[in-house]
């Protein structure tokens, strides 16, 4: 049977994840990989998880742990998240929290919730390719989100109207963004709120890396700034998406969304149709581990990742040829490199794997219009200091040769 003849039209916009494919390279022992933006598994709190899962399967808890549960999520975990949100200026209650299977599921739900075919989504140029993958299935039109003063709300509205659509949301990752590592300052976040007010659209705040700040001054989340203006989360247009994947462990697939209850109630309906609820035993284990050691564990991550970032930045200064530029992130996992005009990151990757055995992610995958051929993303989270120094030296040698 020719299944492609009966696939829905939306499938034409769905592409294989470049990062998912590159993760396969991590199993090759001769490759120095700066590709996958993933945490170091050696840093997982495995002892705490072992205790938590064992406790979840104790005689008095195993029935709950292995049974169906409510779609909104495990109440003690939602209550713990409410407490953590309050620490960063987001006052809410458990009814404003939905537990998802990683924050990626939240992005998929939000795309499904807000986007009809042809609707406009504002995204960065570049932006997280997982967000593009989540939104693509709902057939949006993308426009370039810029908070540097060169775009007005009217320009977004006019562009959408000329295409026969309206702006439904702006998606941004304000802290140590994937892929650039850059952080939006307070002024830009407030400007985003002004633009969204004028457009009467939602804001999706992807806070996957917010806990991973190594230096510099913390900036309140966009939702916290909006709460300062409006007083209650019920009057806010921002949807905050968080995750334990970058702090505790990605394999348990626990994320969350915080928003006004009308948004959460609709996301709950989507979850009931998709997977009923996120794994109960995983939620129970994450709650126990977070309650026992979250702050101390994140502090340990800071110490390790900050040093790896510093080693990579120093190696770049030493080995990169003239004409190559890169970001200097205050946190997160990524450094974004811009190569001279005419360079092609995809072809460079093929040559790098063949001659230097160094992997990275070509930047083109992070652009909604497939531009950015002369950019690449480097991750420092997974490699030790020696591998970072050697890999960057090899990459510098390759760039000089081309």
């Amino acid at each position: 049977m020719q299944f492609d003849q009966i696939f829905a039209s939306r499938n034409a916009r769905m592409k294989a994840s470049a990062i998912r494919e590159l993760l396969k390279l991590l199993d090759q022992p001769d490759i120095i990989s700066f590709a996958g933006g993933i945490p170091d598994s050696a840093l997982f709190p495995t002892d705490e998880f072992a205790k938590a899962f064992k406790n979840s399967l104790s005689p008095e808890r195993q029935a709950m742990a292995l049974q169906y549960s409510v779609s909104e999520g495990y109440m003690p975990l939602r209550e713990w998240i409410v407490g953590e949100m309050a620490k960063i200026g987001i006052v809410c209650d458990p009814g404003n929290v939905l537990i998802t299977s990683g924050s990626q599921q939240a992005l998929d739900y939000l795309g499904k919730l807000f986007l009809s075919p042809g609707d406009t989504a504002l995204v960065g140029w570049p932006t997280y390719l997982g967000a593009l993958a989540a939104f693509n299935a709902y057939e949006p039109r993308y426009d370039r989100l810029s908070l540097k003063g060169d775009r007005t709300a009217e320009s977004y509205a006019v562009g959408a109207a000329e295409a026969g659509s309206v702006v439904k949301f702006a998606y941004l990752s304000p802290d140590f963004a994937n892929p650039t590592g850059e952080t939006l300052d307070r002024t830009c976040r407030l400007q985003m709120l002004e633009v969204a007010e004028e457009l009467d659209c939602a804001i999706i705040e992807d806070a996957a890396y917010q806990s991973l700040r190594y230096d510099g001054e913390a900036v309140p989340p966009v939702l916290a700034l909006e709460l300062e203006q409006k007083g209650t989360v019920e009057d806010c247009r921002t949807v905050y998406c968080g995750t334990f994947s970058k702090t505790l462990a990605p394999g348990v697939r626990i994320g969350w969304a915080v928003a006004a209850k009308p948004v959460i109630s609709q996301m709950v309906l989507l979850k009931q149709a998709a997977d009923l609820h996120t794994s109960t035993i995983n939620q129970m284990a994450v709650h126990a581990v977070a309650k026992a050691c979250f702050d101390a564990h994140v502090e340990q991550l800071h110490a390790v990742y900050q040093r790896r970032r510093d080693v990579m930045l120093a190696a770049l200064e030493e080995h990169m040829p003239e004409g190559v530029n890169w970001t200097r992130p205050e946190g997160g996992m990524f450094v974004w490199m811009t190569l001279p005009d005419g360079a092609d990151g995809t072809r460079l990757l093929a040559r790098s794997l063949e001659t230097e055995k160094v992997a990275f992610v070509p930047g083109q995958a992070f652009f909604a219009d497939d531009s950015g051929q002369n950019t690449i993303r480097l991750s420092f989270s997974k490699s030790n200091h020696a591998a970072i120094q050697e890999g960057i030296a090899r990459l510098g040698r390759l760039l000089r040769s081309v």
Side-chain angles (χ1 to χ4, degrees):
M1 180 175 180
Q2 300 298 315
F3 282 100
D4 57 348
Q5 296 179 6
I6 61 170
F7 287 153
S9 60
R10 73 178 70 92
N11 285 274
R13 299 189 58 154
M14 298 168 66
K15 303 175 183 178
S17 166
I19 290 182
R20 293 288 98 191
E21 294 301 313
L22 284 165
L23 282 174
K24 298 173 184 177
L25 297 170
L26 299 181
D27 294 330
Q28 300 180 24
D30 60 337
I31 297 288
I32 296 177
S33 180
F34 303 133
I38 62 177
D40 187 343
S41 55
L43 301 175
F44 293 160
T46 52
D47 289 344
E48 288 78 5
F49 269 112
K51 294 175 187 175
F53 277 109
K54 182 178 181 180
N55 185 54
S56 297
L57 291 172
S58 63
E60 62 272 17
R61 294 170 64 82
Q62 61 186 0
M64 177 187 296
L66 299 176
Q67 185 56 276
Y68 285 117
S69 186
V70 296
S71 299
E72 290 83 351
Y74 182 53
M75 180 58 79
L77 178 58
R78 291 160 65 203
E79 291 173 339
W80 185 89
I81 289 170
V82 166
E84 292 299 298
M85 292 293 95
K87 294 177 184 178
I88 57 175
I90 298 174
V91 178
C92 60
D93 64 50
N96 301 114
V97 179
L98 170 67
I99 304 299
T100 58
S101 297
S103 60
Q104 186 68 25
Q105 186 179 64
L107 296 180
D108 176 63
Y109 288 173
L110 291 167
K112 184 182 292 186
L113 181 61
F114 289 122
L115 294 171
S116 297
D119 283 343
T120 294
L122 306 182
V123 298
W125 242 251
T127 194
Y128 171 47
L129 67 83
L132 295 177
F135 303 150
N136 278 343
Y138 308 109
E139 305 176 77
R141 166 189 175 269
Y142 293 112
D143 197 357
R144 180 174 185 167
L145 177 63
S146 175
L147 297 174
K148 298 179 180 179
D150 56 345
R151 292 292 303 270
T152 63
E154 183 181 8
S155 73
Y156 296 124
V158 169
E162 290 177 347
S165 74
V166 295
V167 177
K168 288 296 188 69
F169 63 74
Y171 166 81
L172 69 163
S173 183
D175 295 290
F176 331 119
N178 182 0
T180 65
E182 295 178 330
T183 296
L184 289 178
D185 62 23
R186 186 186 185 98
T187 299
C188 286
R189 298 179 194 216
L190 290 171
Q191 183 182 344
M192 181 70 260
L193 286 170
E194 292 178 7
V195 168
E197 286 288 335
E198 288 190 51
L199 293 171
D200 196 23
C201 72
I203 298 172
I204 300 175
E205 180 175 17
D206 188 342
Y209 303 93
Q210 189 200 3
S211 295
L212 299 180
R213 173 175 285 280
Y214 314 136
D215 47 40
E217 184 176 348
V219 186
V222 175
L223 180 52
L225 293 172
E226 188 175 14
L227 269 164
E228 290 179 5
Q229 298 174 353
K230 298 182 176 176
T232 171
V233 70
E234 300 305 333
D235 292 330
C236 291
R237 63 181 65 249
T238 303
V239 182
Y240 179 102
C241 300
T243 181
F244 291 102
S245 292
K246 307 306 185 291
T247 50
L248 295 184
V252 291
R253 309 306 303 134
I254 303 295
W256 70 91
V258 175
K261 287 171 185 169
V263 174
I264 294 298
S265 65
Q266 289 299 307
M267 293 181 73
V268 168
L269 295 179
L270 294 174
K271 190 160 185 64
Q272 289 172 349
D275 65 358
L276 301 183
H277 66 89
T278 298
S279 165
T280 307
I281 191 170
N282 286 6
Q283 292 185 71
M284 293 171 68
V286 165
H287 172 249
V289 174
K291 189 176 177 181
C293 70
F294 185 81
D295 289 342
H297 181 68
V298 169
E299 189 174 335
Q300 178 190 9
L301 297 181
H302 287 180
V304 174
Y305 292 153
Q306 177 176 357
R307 182 58 183 146
R308 291 178 182 176
R309 177 205 62 180
D310 293 345
V311 169
M312 178 171 280
L313 292 177
L316 290 168
E317 289 285 355
E318 180 179 357
H319 296 291
M320 285 301 113
E322 187 175 349
V324 176
N325 299 297
W326 55 90
T327 57
R328 292 165 174 79
E330 295 178 328
M333 296 181 174
F334 307 108
V335 172
W336 181 250
M337 287 185 61
T338 303
L339 310 177
D341 290 342
D344 187 314
T346 302
R347 286 192 294 215
L348 186 70
L349 174 62
R351 183 161 177 176
S352 179
L353 291 172
E354 179 182 358
T355 64
E356 301 294 348
K357 303 297 183 184
V358 175
F360 51 81
V361 181
Q364 186 175 0
F366 298 93
F367 290 82
D369 63 351
D370 289 328
S371 60
Q373 288 90 342
N374 67 322
T375 58
I376 65 175
R377 191 197 73 180
L378 304 173
S379 174
F380 51 80
S381 59
K382 193 77 168 62
S383 302
N384 61 39
H385 297 174
I388 291 172
Q389 291 167 331
E390 175 63 21
I392 296 299
R394 294 183 192 179
L395 184 57
R397 180 171 64 205
L398 173 63
L399 286 171
R400 286 193 299 273
S401 74
V402 299

